Tab-separated table of all heavy atoms in Angstrom:
chain	number	residue	atom	x	y	z
A	173	ASN	N	-14.934	73.548	21.693
A	173	ASN	CA	-14.948	73.304	20.240
A	173	ASN	C	-13.544	73.296	19.638
A	173	ASN	O	-13.346	73.027	18.503
A	173	ASN	CB	-15.684	74.502	19.512
A	173	ASN	CG	-14.839	75.755	19.605
A	173	ASN	OD1	-14.388	76.212	20.601
A	173	ASN	ND2	-14.602	76.335	18.415
A	174	ALA	N	-12.483	73.584	20.498
A	174	ALA	CA	-11.110	73.728	19.940
A	174	ALA	C	-10.175	72.686	20.518
A	174	ALA	O	-10.319	72.308	21.747
A	174	ALA	CB	-10.575	75.090	20.234
A	175	PRO	N	-9.213	72.253	19.741
A	175	PRO	CA	-8.320	71.191	20.214
A	175	PRO	C	-7.584	71.582	21.530
A	175	PRO	O	-7.478	70.711	22.402
A	175	PRO	CB	-7.296	71.064	19.077
A	175	PRO	CG	-8.001	71.527	17.885
A	175	PRO	CD	-8.949	72.592	18.303
A	176	LEU	N	-7.098	72.822	21.650
A	176	LEU	CA	-6.310	73.183	22.879
A	176	LEU	C	-7.297	73.190	24.083
A	176	LEU	O	-6.908	72.884	25.176
A	176	LEU	CB	-5.718	74.571	22.752
A	176	LEU	CG	-4.585	74.738	21.727
A	176	LEU	CD1	-4.068	76.121	21.720
A	176	LEU	CD2	-3.455	73.787	22.031
A	177	GLY	N	-8.528	73.595	23.856
A	177	GLY	CA	-9.537	73.559	24.919
A	177	GLY	C	-9.885	72.159	25.336
A	177	GLY	O	-10.040	71.881	26.527
A	178	VAL	N	-10.051	71.297	24.347
A	178	VAL	CA	-10.340	69.904	24.666
A	178	VAL	C	-9.167	69.253	25.485
A	178	VAL	O	-9.413	68.612	26.492
A	178	VAL	CB	-10.540	69.113	23.304
A	178	VAL	CG1	-10.553	67.600	23.632
A	178	VAL	CG2	-11.853	69.529	22.711
A	179	GLU	N	-7.970	69.627	25.024
A	179	GLU	CA	-6.775	69.082	25.762
A	179	GLU	C	-6.767	69.579	27.218
A	179	GLU	O	-6.523	68.820	28.192
A	179	GLU	CB	-5.500	69.556	25.039
A	179	GLU	CG	-4.212	68.958	25.616
A	179	GLU	CD	-2.968	69.557	24.996
A	179	GLU	OE1	-3.063	70.001	23.836
A	179	GLU	OE2	-1.927	69.494	25.645
A	180	ALA	N	-7.120	70.856	27.369
A	180	ALA	CA	-7.131	71.425	28.746
A	180	ALA	C	-8.185	70.711	29.609
A	180	ALA	O	-7.983	70.359	30.756
A	180	ALA	CB	-7.474	72.937	28.671
A	181	GLY	N	-9.392	70.517	29.042
A	181	GLY	CA	-10.457	69.792	29.819
A	181	GLY	C	-10.058	68.379	30.126
A	181	GLY	O	-10.282	67.935	31.275
A	182	HIS	N	-9.445	67.695	29.203
A	182	HIS	CA	-9.001	66.317	29.422
A	182	HIS	C	-7.927	66.277	30.522
A	182	HIS	O	-7.993	65.447	31.405
A	182	HIS	CB	-8.487	65.761	28.113
A	182	HIS	CG	-7.979	64.372	28.200
A	182	HIS	ND1	-8.794	63.264	28.370
A	182	HIS	CD2	-6.746	63.899	28.151
A	182	HIS	CE1	-8.047	62.212	28.481
A	182	HIS	NE2	-6.799	62.579	28.284
A	183	ARG	N	-6.984	67.180	30.386
A	183	ARG	CA	-5.873	67.214	31.398
A	183	ARG	C	-6.418	67.597	32.802
A	183	ARG	O	-5.826	67.216	33.795
A	183	ARG	CB	-4.811	68.237	30.943
A	183	ARG	CG	-3.881	67.633	29.837
A	183	ARG	CD	-3.068	68.696	29.235
A	183	ARG	NE	-1.977	69.200	30.128
A	183	ARG	CZ	-1.157	70.163	29.859
A	183	ARG	NH1	-1.236	70.763	28.671
A	183	ARG	NH2	-0.193	70.559	30.665
A	184	ALA	N	-7.462	68.383	32.834
A	184	ALA	CA	-8.073	68.739	34.195
A	184	ALA	C	-8.752	67.580	34.790
A	184	ALA	O	-9.049	67.606	35.954
A	184	ALA	CB	-9.021	69.926	33.954
A	185	GLY	N	-9.070	66.508	33.993
A	185	GLY	CA	-9.785	65.384	34.567
A	185	GLY	C	-11.311	65.499	34.461
A	185	GLY	O	-12.050	64.756	35.071
A	186	CYS	N	-11.748	66.390	33.647
A	186	CYS	CA	-13.181	66.604	33.381
A	186	CYS	C	-13.646	65.665	32.214
A	186	CYS	O	-12.858	65.285	31.413
A	186	CYS	CB	-13.502	68.020	32.982
A	186	CYS	SG	-12.927	69.277	34.163
A	187	PHE	N	-14.929	65.313	32.207
A	187	PHE	CA	-15.551	64.648	31.108
A	187	PHE	C	-15.686	65.700	30.009
A	187	PHE	O	-16.340	66.716	30.203
A	187	PHE	CB	-16.880	64.056	31.511
A	187	PHE	CG	-17.531	63.177	30.481
A	187	PHE	CD1	-17.182	61.861	30.344
A	187	PHE	CD2	-18.440	63.717	29.525
A	187	PHE	CE1	-17.716	61.034	29.368
A	187	PHE	CE2	-18.973	62.908	28.543
A	187	PHE	CZ	-18.612	61.566	28.485
A	188	THR	N	-15.019	65.440	28.871
A	188	THR	CA	-14.867	66.550	27.857
A	188	THR	C	-15.665	66.264	26.607
A	188	THR	O	-15.404	65.217	25.984
A	188	THR	CB	-13.355	66.803	27.578
A	188	THR	OG1	-12.727	67.121	28.819
A	188	THR	CG2	-13.212	67.944	26.613
A	189	VAL	N	-16.554	67.137	26.304
A	189	VAL	CA	-17.396	67.000	25.142
A	189	VAL	C	-16.942	68.004	24.086
A	189	VAL	O	-16.826	69.167	24.434
A	189	VAL	CB	-18.872	67.258	25.485
A	189	VAL	CG1	-19.773	67.269	24.257
A	189	VAL	CG2	-19.400	66.268	26.548
A	190	ALA	N	-16.649	67.562	22.887
A	190	ALA	CA	-16.218	68.454	21.814
A	190	ALA	C	-17.305	68.598	20.764
A	190	ALA	O	-17.967	67.599	20.439
A	190	ALA	CB	-14.972	67.919	21.189
A	191	VAL	N	-17.486	69.780	20.325
A	191	VAL	CA	-18.481	70.090	19.242
A	191	VAL	C	-17.718	70.712	18.067
A	191	VAL	O	-17.048	71.729	18.265
A	191	VAL	CB	-19.592	70.975	19.753
A	191	VAL	CG1	-20.718	71.052	18.691
A	191	VAL	CG2	-20.146	70.499	21.073
A	192	ALA	N	-17.820	70.087	16.946
A	192	ALA	CA	-17.128	70.628	15.727
A	192	ALA	C	-17.941	71.740	15.086
A	192	ALA	O	-18.728	71.469	14.198
A	192	ALA	CB	-16.829	69.479	14.733
A	193	THR	N	-17.765	72.976	15.567
A	193	THR	CA	-18.503	74.056	15.039
A	193	THR	C	-17.782	74.859	13.977
A	193	THR	O	-18.349	75.816	13.420
A	193	THR	CB	-18.953	75.043	16.175
A	193	THR	OG1	-17.705	75.626	16.692
A	193	THR	CG2	-19.662	74.369	17.256
A	194	GLY	N	-16.548	74.496	13.670
A	194	GLY	CA	-15.714	75.178	12.685
A	194	GLY	C	-15.038	74.193	11.753
A	194	GLY	O	-15.503	73.089	11.561
A	195	PRO	N	-13.897	74.599	11.183
A	195	PRO	CA	-13.243	73.778	10.218
A	195	PRO	C	-12.417	72.575	10.835
A	195	PRO	O	-11.865	71.800	10.033
A	195	PRO	CB	-12.264	74.760	9.495
A	195	PRO	CG	-12.015	75.830	10.525
A	195	PRO	CD	-13.203	75.913	11.410
A	196	ILE	N	-12.309	72.537	12.162
A	196	ILE	CA	-11.456	71.450	12.755
A	196	ILE	C	-12.254	70.113	12.700
A	196	ILE	O	-13.355	70.052	13.152
A	196	ILE	CB	-11.171	71.737	14.243
A	196	ILE	CG1	-10.560	73.154	14.389
A	196	ILE	CG2	-10.321	70.700	14.832
A	196	ILE	CD1	-9.091	73.257	14.193
A	197	PRO	N	-11.632	69.038	12.109
A	197	PRO	CA	-12.305	67.821	11.952
A	197	PRO	C	-12.547	67.088	13.258
A	197	PRO	O	-11.802	67.293	14.220
A	197	PRO	CB	-11.452	66.961	11.026
A	197	PRO	CG	-10.119	67.703	10.935
A	197	PRO	CD	-10.281	69.101	11.513
A	198	LEU	N	-13.568	66.256	13.343
A	198	LEU	CA	-13.943	65.478	14.505
A	198	LEU	C	-12.800	64.694	15.028
A	198	LEU	O	-12.526	64.528	16.222
A	198	LEU	CB	-15.091	64.545	14.264
A	198	LEU	CG	-16.509	65.181	14.043
A	198	LEU	CD1	-17.528	64.146	13.584
A	198	LEU	CD2	-16.931	65.791	15.354
A	199	GLU	N	-11.994	64.127	14.092
A	199	GLU	CA	-10.878	63.253	14.458
A	199	GLU	C	-9.864	64.021	15.275
A	199	GLU	O	-9.231	63.496	16.211
A	199	GLU	CB	-10.205	62.680	13.215
A	199	GLU	CG	-11.018	61.744	12.375
A	199	GLU	CD	-12.133	62.546	11.600
A	199	GLU	OE1	-11.836	63.662	11.064
A	199	GLU	OE2	-13.309	62.014	11.578
A	200	THR	N	-9.590	65.279	14.894
A	200	THR	CA	-8.608	66.100	15.616
A	200	THR	C	-9.108	66.348	17.005
A	200	THR	O	-8.302	66.360	18.013
A	200	THR	CB	-8.403	67.471	14.874
A	200	THR	OG1	-8.059	67.147	13.499
A	200	THR	CG2	-7.277	68.277	15.504
A	201	LEU	N	-10.417	66.613	17.217
A	201	LEU	CA	-10.956	66.851	18.534
A	201	LEU	C	-10.872	65.579	19.394
A	201	LEU	O	-10.610	65.599	20.608
A	201	LEU	CB	-12.400	67.320	18.417
A	201	LEU	CG	-12.513	68.709	17.679
A	201	LEU	CD1	-13.961	68.991	17.361
A	201	LEU	CD2	-11.920	69.845	18.537
A	202	LYS	N	-11.134	64.467	18.789
A	202	LYS	CA	-11.047	63.162	19.460
A	202	LYS	C	-9.638	62.960	19.880
A	202	LYS	O	-9.365	62.544	21.041
A	202	LYS	CB	-11.513	62.100	18.488
A	202	LYS	CG	-11.769	60.729	19.078
A	202	LYS	CD	-13.254	60.613	19.575
A	202	LYS	CE	-13.371	59.402	20.532
A	202	LYS	NZ	-14.481	59.431	21.382
A	203	ALA	N	-8.698	63.183	19.016
A	203	ALA	CA	-7.247	62.956	19.292
A	203	ALA	C	-6.757	63.899	20.431
A	203	ALA	O	-5.798	63.586	21.146
A	203	ALA	CB	-6.393	63.180	18.062
A	204	ALA	N	-7.428	65.042	20.581
A	204	ALA	CA	-6.967	65.995	21.631
A	204	ALA	C	-7.505	65.502	23.000
A	204	ALA	O	-7.106	66.043	24.032
A	204	ALA	CB	-7.555	67.387	21.329
A	205	GLY	N	-8.351	64.428	23.023
A	205	GLY	CA	-8.758	63.904	24.294
A	205	GLY	C	-10.250	63.956	24.597
A	205	GLY	O	-10.648	63.726	25.734
A	206	ALA	N	-11.066	64.273	23.576
A	206	ALA	CA	-12.496	64.358	23.820
A	206	ALA	C	-13.109	63.011	24.189
A	206	ALA	O	-12.805	62.034	23.570
A	206	ALA	CB	-13.209	64.985	22.591
A	207	ASP	N	-13.971	63.021	25.178
A	207	ASP	CA	-14.678	61.785	25.561
A	207	ASP	C	-15.901	61.528	24.646
A	207	ASP	O	-16.240	60.416	24.396
A	207	ASP	CB	-15.230	61.891	27.029
A	207	ASP	CG	-14.050	61.946	27.954
A	207	ASP	OD1	-13.350	60.926	28.118
A	207	ASP	OD2	-13.779	63.050	28.553
A	208	LEU	N	-16.468	62.605	24.149
A	208	LEU	CA	-17.623	62.528	23.181
A	208	LEU	C	-17.424	63.614	22.165
A	208	LEU	O	-16.909	64.730	22.498
A	208	LEU	CB	-18.926	62.807	23.924
A	208	LEU	CG	-19.661	61.731	24.603
A	208	LEU	CD1	-20.954	62.327	25.249
A	208	LEU	CD2	-20.084	60.594	23.631
A	209	VAL	N	-17.739	63.349	20.896
A	209	VAL	CA	-17.740	64.430	19.850
A	209	VAL	C	-19.045	64.457	19.187
A	209	VAL	O	-19.694	63.448	18.940
A	209	VAL	CB	-16.579	64.190	18.828
A	209	VAL	CG1	-15.200	64.382	19.481
A	209	VAL	CG2	-16.637	62.824	18.236
A	210	PHE	N	-19.429	65.741	18.843
A	210	PHE	CA	-20.701	65.988	18.110
A	210	PHE	C	-20.339	66.832	16.885
A	210	PHE	O	-19.468	67.733	16.987
A	210	PHE	CB	-21.676	66.734	18.940
A	210	PHE	CG	-22.240	65.889	20.032
A	210	PHE	CD1	-21.737	65.958	21.324
A	210	PHE	CD2	-23.294	64.947	19.767
A	210	PHE	CE1	-22.293	65.156	22.386
A	210	PHE	CE2	-23.840	64.179	20.851
A	210	PHE	CZ	-23.266	64.294	22.078
A	211	PRO	N	-20.985	66.598	15.738
A	211	PRO	CA	-20.706	67.340	14.512
A	211	PRO	C	-21.291	68.770	14.490
A	211	PRO	O	-20.923	69.556	13.727
A	211	PRO	CB	-21.330	66.562	13.397
A	211	PRO	CG	-22.401	65.694	14.073
A	211	PRO	CD	-22.013	65.540	15.493
Side-chain angles (χ1 to χ4, degrees):
N173 74 306
L176 294 181
V178 168
E179 185 185 338
H182 178 71
R183 284 169 69 183
C186 302
F187 188 85
T188 303
V189 176
V191 189
T193 63
I196 307 275
L198 289 173
E199 298 70 43
T200 306
L201 295 168
K202 192 89 193 157
D207 295 290
L208 273 179
V209 290
F210 291 97

